[in-house]
C-alpha cells in the first residue's frame, strides 16, 4: 500500500519535474528571444557627422634661423552631428577637436560642449582651433609650403571623445567616439611661406568617418 503510494508519488513528481524543465526551457528561450529582439531593434547606429565649413583666419609658417619651423594658425570649423537613432539618446561626456596635417597634430585640442542629444536630433558646433608656435618637422613644413603655393591645403579635422547611449532611464557603459573629417581648404591668395589673407574656405561639405568602440 505504502509502496504503491510511493510509486505513484514518484511518477507524479517525475512528470512534474519534466513539465517544470520544459516550462523553464521555453521561458529561457523566450527571455533570450526578447533580449535578441530588443538588441536588434535598439542597436545603436553611429552618429552621422559632416564637416560643413572650415575657414582659416590666419596661417603663418615661419622658420627660425636655427632650423625648426613654427606654425601659427587660427581655424574655425563647423561640424554638424546627427543622432540617427529613433529611440536612443547620446550622452556626450567629452569631445575634443584638433586639426592635423598629414597625421601630425598642428592645433591644440578644443573642447566641445558636453551634454545630451535626443534621438533624431541635430547639433552644430563651430569651434575655433588654434596653433601657437606649433613646431613642424622640416619635411612637413616643406610640403605645407608647397600646398600653400598650390593654393590648396589638405587638413584633417579629428574629434575624439567619450559617449554613452541612453534609452529611457537606462544608460550604457562608456564608448569611445572617434571622428575623422578630411578638409580640403582653398587659400584665397597663395603667397608661399608667408601669412595669407583672410577667408580661406572649405571647398565642399565633407562626410566624416565615425568610429564607435567599447571602452573610454
Ligand atoms: C606666433 O605667435 C607668437 C605670439 O604671438 C609670435 O611670437 C611668433 O613669432 C609667431 N610665429 C609665427 C611663425 O608667426
Amino acid at each position: 500500500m505504502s509502496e504503491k503510494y510511493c510509486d505513484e508519488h514518484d511518477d507524479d513528481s517525475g512528470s512534474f519535474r519534466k513539465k517544470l524543465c520544459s516550462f523553464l526551457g521555453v521561458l529561457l528561450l523566450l527571455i533570450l528571444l526578447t533580449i535578441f529582439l530588443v538588441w536588434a531593434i535598439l542597436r545603436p547606429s553611429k552618429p552621422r557627422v559632416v564637416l560643413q565649413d572650415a575657414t582659416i583666419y590666419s596661417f603663418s609658417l615661419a622658420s627660425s634661423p636655427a632650423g625648426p619651423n613654427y606654425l601659427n594658425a587660427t581655424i574655425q570649423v563647423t561640424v554638424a552631428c546627427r543622432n540617427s537613432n529613433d529611440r536612443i539618446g547620446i550622452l556626450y561626456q567629452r569631445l575634443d577637436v584638433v586639426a592635423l596635417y598629414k597625421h601630425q597634430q598642428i592645433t591644440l585640442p578644443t573642447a566641445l560642449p558636453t551634454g545630451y542629444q535626443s534621438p533624431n536630433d541635430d547639433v552644430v558646433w563651430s569651434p575655433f582651433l588654434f596653433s601657437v608656435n606649433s613646431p613642424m618637422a622640416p619635411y612637413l613644413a616643406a610640403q605645407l609650403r608647397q600646398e600653400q603655393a598650390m593654393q590648396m591645403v589638405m587638413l584633417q579635422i579629428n574629434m575624439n571623445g567619450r559617449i554613452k547611449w541612453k534609452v529611457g532611464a537606462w544608460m550604457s557603459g562608456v564608448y569611445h567616439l572617434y571622428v575623422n573629417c578630411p578638409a580640403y581648404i582653398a587659400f584665397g591668395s597663395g603667397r608661399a611661406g608667408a601669412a595669407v589673407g583672410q577667408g580661406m574656405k572649405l571647398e565642399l561639405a565633407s562626410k566624416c568617418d565615425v568610429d564607435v568602440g567599447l571602452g573610454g
Side-chain angles (χ1 to χ4, degrees):
M1 175 81 185
S2 74
E3 212 176 12
K4 192 174 183 252
Y5 175 80
C6 275
D7 280 345
E8 260 174 20
H9 181 77
D10 273 359
D11 279 350
D12 266 3
S13 85
S15 72
F16 175 73
R17 248 185 257 133
K18 259 181 221 155
K19 273 181 196 152
L20 187 69
C21 275
S22 53
F23 172 74
L24 286 180
V26 169
L27 193 68
L28 191 68
L29 212 68
L30 279 178
I31 290 174
L32 287 178
L33 193 70
T34 309
I35 290 175
F36 173 75
L37 280 180
V38 166
W39 167 247
I41 292 166
L42 286 184
R43 194 156 47 115
S45 53
K46 299 183 276 193
R48 275 189 231 136
V49 185
V50 173
L51 180 66
Q52 291 183 331
D53 195 81
T55 308
I56 300 180
Y57 284 103
S58 69
F59 200 88
S60 149
L61 183 62
S63 52
S64 75
N69 293 272
Y70 295 100
L71 177 70
N72 282 358
T74 307
I75 305 168
Q76 188 180 23
V77 295
T78 302
V79 179
C81 181
R82 178 172 179 78
N83 176 5
S84 47
N85 294 288
D86 291 331
R87 295 177 191 81
I88 307 175
I90 303 177
L91 197 67
Y92 295 87
Q93 292 194 312
R94 180 179 63 74
L95 201 53
D96 289 334
V97 194
V98 294
L100 292 90
Y101 178 69
K102 298 202 196 282
H103 305 294
Q104 189 196 323
Q105 188 180 326
I106 57 166
T107 67
L108 299 166
T110 298
L112 293 177
T114 54
Y116 177 71
Q117 185 182 28
S118 314
N120 288 317
D121 209 11
D122 287 291
V123 61
V124 176
W125 293 298
S126 292
F128 279 96
L129 309 177
F130 301 99
S131 46
V132 180
N133 277 334
S134 182
M136 300 279 296
Y139 77 98
L140 278 183
Q143 286 177 12
L144 193 51
R145 285 203 170 87
Q146 254 175 32
E147 288 195 20
Q148 255 184 303
M150 282 156 39
Q151 310 212 359
M152 189 85 161
V153 65
M154 168 51 167
L155 298 181
Q156 288 157 268
I157 307 300
N158 278 14
M159 299 200 283
N160 211 316
R162 295 150 148 267
I163 60 167
K164 282 183 173 183
W165 308 110
K166 198 168 180 292
V167 184
W170 178 83
M171 200 126 66
S172 77
V174 174
Y175 283 75
H176 184 244
L177 174 69
Y178 180 78
V179 180
N180 181 27
C181 311
Y184 286 98
I185 305 173
F187 285 84
S189 58
R191 284 183 289 145
V196 196
Q198 293 208 340
M200 293 153 279
K201 283 275 193 176
L202 182 75
E203 290 282 276
L204 285 171
S206 65
K207 236 180 133 210
C208 308
D209 285 331
V210 180
D211 261 325
V212 176
L214 250 181

